[in-house]
Amino acid sequence: MIKISNLYKSYDDLEVLKGINLNVSKGEVLSVIGSSGSGKSTLLYCINGLEPIQQGQIIVDDIDVHASDTNLNSVRQNMGMVFQQWNSFPHLTVLENVALAPRIVSKLPKAQALEIAEKQLRHVGLGDKLSKYPSALSGGQQQRLAIARALAMEPKCMLFDEATSALDPELVGEVLDTIRLLAEEGMTMICVTHEMGFAREVSDRVAFFHEGVIEEINQPEELFGAPKSVYLQKFLSKVKK
Amino acid sequence: MESSSTYFSGFSLNDLWYLGEAALRTLWISVLAISIGSVIGIFLGLALSVSRVVAFTLGTILDIFRSVPLIIQLVLFFNFAPIIGLRLNPFEAGLIVLIVYTSCYVANVARGGIEAVGQPMRRAARSLGMNYWQDLRYVVWPIGLRAVFPAWVGVALGVLKDSALVSILGYVELLKASQILMTRTQEAILILSIAGAFYFALSYPISYYATRLEQRWSQ
Ligand SMILES: Nc1ncnc2c1ncn2[C@@H]1O[C@H](COP(=O)(O)OP(=O)(O)OP(=O)(O)O)[C@@H](O)[C@H]1O
Ligand SMILES: [Mg+2]
């Protein structure tokens, strides 16, 4: 589903990704952990084509994302992305937030776009907020709104970039529950996360990023239970504190 | 100017018409300058937000136009235009300078609006598959406009008032008409009060409508 080979990415002089090789198969949930600045967000931006790459290849669903003849806008329709900041469109109601992209990007008739939007909002448990504005929602609700907005494009995979780290602790649970629900439904996902418990429980595999390379990747029991890399051991002991 | 052919030296009803007509000319040149200047300014604002190199060079040019007093720009342009082969009447010359002046201010306002929307919001829009123009049209425009609308209204009202300076080129707008009448009637206070009332009558609907719009948005 997602095949990354020999990926290099720099911002000007700063080399951030230094040779990433990674395959994510259909229906797999991969969590990405690692310390701040190790390049986790950058990886997601590259997969999504929001950042150009210097070397290597990213294939998503048989399309080479960074090939010059690739239409990034249509690639992105197959890939939902949820950011740390929920970025709800403040001038639109909850329902319109979700219906906007189906209407203008997928060019669906308005009624159909609204129908899809309503379905996805119920899916994430916001069925009773349709006509509210985002400013009337809690952070957790806005993050679920962002998830619904991405799902409304009926993506084949989802990328989560620390979807819960800007939330108050008591709101983290509801968002994780929503992501868990998607995992159970078989959505292919890459989740950058600081929630080790979540990574352990939901993921099929966990990748540990360190200074722009995948230092260790394994099933959660092994990766958390018997970390091989010294950096990972250090990282985990710091997180546990 | 037919009305002044009666050599009546007191202030007459005709003179009121004359001022009213001049107010319409003020309105006309301002509306043109504000609308054309705003469109140009928005594109300049977009250009400013594209890259640092553009922002620096273009920003410097805009700074020059913003720092040189409008009256000097008007006189300079009106006198230099013929040298480069442009034969312009006072209205045309004044309008061009006002448009440039408006665009420079609107460019900054527009850049502020784009910055208010922010990169993360725009990335979220693009991640949904929106192209550059859809992002601008459906996300940046509505959100940015709400953020900087009061600032834009301020620019528009400023241009309306500053358009009085075009009078020094000889274009008979509200201020010039008042001066003509003052010379003839010697009733400066009365005429300036009327002219002031006209300026107020032109500005008030803008502020009123703007406030209403802001109230509606903030709900
Ligand atoms: N647009 C940018 N321009 C220049 N440097 C950047 C840019 N975005 C990120 N960086 C740098 O790239 C490095 C990796 O950043 P990235 O955001 O991918 O890290 P991260 O692993 O997601 O960290 P965090 O856990 O803090 O989110 C950092 O050193 C960061 O400063
Ligand atoms: Mg990050």
Side-chain angles (χ1 to χ4, degrees), chain B residues 80-144:
Chain B
F80 276 93
I83 297 174
I84 58 167
L86 284 172
R87 301 181 53 86
L88 300 172
N89 62 33
F91 171 77
E92 291 161 348
L95 179 60
I96 290 173
V97 173
L98 275 182
I99 286 174
V100 172
Y101 178 78
T102 312
S103 345
C104 292
Y105 279 93
V106 172
N108 241 29
V109 171
R111 180 184 33 192
I114 293 164
E115 276 165 12
V117 178
Q119 193 64 26
M121 180 70 78
R122 299 186 65 183
R123 285 198 147 163
R126 296 304 296 274
S127 79
L128 291 167
M130 289 187 210
N131 63 33
Y132 180 76
W133 296 107
Q134 288 171 329
D135 166 43
L136 282 187
R137 160 77 183 78
Y138 294 99
V139 177
V140 178
W141 172 256
I143 300 175

Side-chain angles (χ1 to χ4, degrees), chain A residues 80-146:
Chain A
M81 181 148 182
V82 175
F83 302 79
Q84 184 173 341
Q85 278 302 331
W86 33 88
N87 298 313
S88 350
F89 304 137
H91 61 297
L92 300 176
T93 63
V94 166
L95 186 63
E96 289 163 347
N97 255 273
V98 182
L100 180 64
R103 201 158 55 77
I104 66 169
V105 178
S106 320
K107 308 247 177 335
L108 296 181
K110 194 169 182 187
Q112 203 180 335
L114 290 174
E115 195 179 310
I116 291 176
E118 191 174 337
K119 188 182 93 185
Q120 291 303 345
L121 283 163
R122 292 197 190 292
H123 193 178
V124 301
L126 291 176
D128 56 339
K129 305 279 184 212
L130 303 183
S131 57
K132 290 266 186 321
Y133 280 88
S135 54
L137 267 51
S138 72
Q141 290 168 332
Q142 293 201 53
Q143 193 57 293
R144 285 187 280 148
L145 166 60

Side-chain angles (χ1 to χ4, degrees), chain B:
Chain B
M1 270 183 251
E2 328 81 273
S3 57
S4 55
S5 58
T6 58
Y7 281 93
F8 184 62
S9 71
F11 187 80
S12 70
L13 201 61
N14 269 346
D15 295 335
L16 194 61
W17 273 117
Y18 180 65
L19 281 180
E21 245 175 13
L24 283 181
R25 276 190 223 112
T26 285
L27 184 65
W28 178 229
I29 197 167
S30 307
V31 164
L32 282 179
I34 292 166
S35 39
I36 301 172
S38 294
V39 172
I40 298 174
I42 287 167
F43 282 100
L44 290 176
L46 273 179
L48 283 174
S49 70
V50 166
S51 84
R52 259 177 235 156
V53 186
V54 180
F56 182 75
T57 39
L58 189 60
T60 312
I61 300 174
L62 298 184
D63 279 342
I64 294 173
F65 278 105
R66 278 203 310 257
S67 52
V68 176
L70 186 57
I71 196 157
I72 295 179
Q73 294 186 38
L74 283 164
V75 175
L76 280 181
F77 182 69
F78 191 54
N79 289 299
F80 276 93
I83 297 174
I84 58 167
L86 284 172
R87 301 181 53 86
L88 300 172
N89 62 33
F91 171 77
E92 291 161 348
L95 179 60
I96 290 173
V97 173
L98 275 182
I99 286 174
V100 172
Y101 178 78
T102 312
S103 345
C104 292
Y105 279 93
V106 172
N108 241 29
V109 171
R111 180 184 33 192
I114 293 164
E115 276 165 12
V117 178
Q119 193 64 26
M121 180 70 78
R122 299 186 65 183
R123 285 198 147 163
R126 296 304 296 274
S127 79
L128 291 167
M130 289 187 210
N131 63 33
Y132 180 76
W133 296 107
Q134 288 171 329
D135 166 43
L136 282 187
R137 160 77 183 78
Y138 294 99
V139 177
V140 178
W141 172 256
I143 300 175
L145 182 66
R146 282 163 171 76
V148 295
F149 188 69
W152 178 82
V153 173
V155 171
L157 292 176
V159 170
L160 185 71
K161 281 182 284 189
D162 292 346
S163 71
L165 295 172
V166 177
S167 60
I168 64 150
L169 305 184
Y171 178 60
V172 186
E173 43 60 77
L174 194 45
L175 183 67
K176 183 79 181 172
S178 315
Q179 285 167 342
I180 293 172
L181 287 184
M182 281 189 308
T183 312
R184 209 200 70 217
T185 62
Q186 302 295 317
E187 297 200 60
I189 307 257
L190 173 67
I191 289 168
L192 285 180
S193 306
I194 295 174
F198 269 120
Y199 275 113
F200 177 72
L202 294 178
S203 317
Y204 185 71
I206 303 180
S207 344
Y208 177 77
Y209 182 66
T211 314
R212 289 284 302 270
L213 206 58
E214 280 165 43
Q215 278 167 354
R216 217 180 67 199
W217 283 339
S218 70
Q219 272 169 16

Side-chain angles (χ1 to χ4, degrees), chain A:
Chain A
M1 177 90 204
I2 301 175
K3 290 198 187 77
I4 301 173
S5 45
N6 199 31
L7 168 65
Y8 282 82
K9 157 80 191 169
S10 353
Y11 295 106
D12 302 320
D13 294 339
L14 180 71
E15 195 166 55
V16 177
L17 300 179
K18 305 163 187 169
I20 303 284
N21 291 288
L22 179 67
N23 287 336
V24 180
S25 43
K26 195 167 188 312
E28 182 175 1
V29 178
L30 175 80
S31 287
V32 177
I33 61 172
S35 50
S36 182
S38 56
K40 307 178 301 292
S41 302
T42 303
L43 175 72
L44 296 191
Y45 292 151
C46 292
I47 297 176
N48 193 289
L50 286 167
E51 283 288 348
I53 65 175
Q54 271 68 46
Q55 227 192 91
Q57 207 179 33
I58 300 176
I59 310 268
V60 177
D61 206 25
D62 295 329
I63 296 167
D64 182 345
V65 177
H66 292 269
S68 54
D69 58 349
T70 299
N71 179 349
L72 277 178
N73 300 318
S74 52
V75 169
R76 293 192 189 121
Q77 290 176 46
N78 288 325
M79 255 187 285
M81 181 148 182
V82 175
F83 302 79
Q84 184 173 341
Q85 278 302 331
W86 33 88
N87 298 313
S88 350
F89 304 137
H91 61 297
L92 300 176
T93 63
V94 166
L95 186 63
E96 289 163 347
N97 255 273
V98 182
L100 180 64
R103 201 158 55 77
I104 66 169
V105 178
S106 320
K107 308 247 177 335
L108 296 181
K110 194 169 182 187
Q112 203 180 335
L114 290 174
E115 195 179 310
I116 291 176
E118 191 174 337
K119 188 182 93 185
Q120 291 303 345
L121 283 163
R122 292 197 190 292
H123 193 178
V124 301
L126 291 176
D128 56 339
K129 305 279 184 212
L130 303 183
S131 57
K132 290 266 186 321
Y133 280 88
S135 54
L137 267 51
S138 72
Q141 290 168 332
Q142 293 201 53
Q143 193 57 293
R144 285 187 280 148
L145 166 60
I147 296 172
R149 195 169 65 177
L151 289 175
M153 296 304 288
E154 301 179 333
K156 297 203 176 92
C157 60
M158 290 283 287
L159 311 173
F160 289 89
D161 188 6
E162 294 181 17
T164 57
S165 56
L167 294 174
D168 293 337
E170 71 271 20
L171 300 174
V172 168
E174 58 183 89
V175 174
L176 290 184
D177 286 343
T178 308
I179 301 176
R180 203 173 281 128
L181 174 71
L182 296 182
E184 282 160 15
E185 291 167 356
M187 176 65 82
T188 310
M189 300 198 278
I190 301 183
C191 308
V192 172
T193 184
H194 281 159
E195 302 285 335
M196 297 305 142
F198 171 81
R200 191 169 200 149
E201 170 205 351
V202 177
S203 331
D204 298 306
R205 281 189 304 161
V206 179
F208 171 63
F209 259 60
H210 182 71
E211 294 182 351
V213 296
I214 298 181
E215 176 79 11
E216 191 162 337
I217 179 165
N218 216 329
Q219 278 142 9
E221 311 81 63
E222 268 107 278
L223 188 122
F224 289 111
K228 294 185 193 70
S229 151
V230 270
Y231 297 116
L232 176 56
Q233 290 164 4
K234 265 193 207 150
F235 176 77
L236 290 177
S237 67
K238 250 190 265 167
V239 171
K240 280 203 190 95
K241 276 177 201 160

